[in-house]
Amino acid sequence: MNESVHLSTAGTGAEYAAPDAIVTVKVGSEHTGAQYEVFEIDAPRAPAAPPHSESWSKAFYVLTGRILVQAGDQGYDLGPGSSISIPAGTLNTFSVLTPSAKFLAISQSGRMSALFAELAEMQS
């Protein structure tokens, strides 16, 4: 891995329009040897995306607002300061319970940004 310091300040990072949120890449796979990625998710209240699973683990950390995360057969109500980790292969989705929510998504791979890029491309 080519180690270098990466700084992402407020308002910077590649931005993707996903069906249910605006996704900003804060730490991309190119800065971590594809071991993890960090995203800032800014989501309005809207219908939840259909449950889906990924082949990598991920975690959410809520900054503002409240979200309901469905992971497997369980629902989890998360507010500011709450976090959840979701194992690879687990059916999951989220819905925003407040007018909007902002949270971090951490992916244990370098593939989540490629997924967001594909979703944004499909919407254009």
Side-chain angles (χ1 to χ4, degrees), residues 80-123:
S82 297
S83 63
I84 189 169
S85 62
I86 302 169
T90 303
L91 278 177
N92 69 92
T93 190
F94 74 88
S95 54
V96 176
L97 301 175
T98 51
S100 64
K102 189 173 280 194
F103 59 97
L104 298 178
I106 299 96
S107 165
Q108 187 187 21
S109 82
R111 296 180 296 199
M112 199 162 166
S113 58
L115 172 67
F116 286 132
E118 288 174 23
L119 289 172
E121 177 85 17
M122 290 172 30
Q123 289 198 310

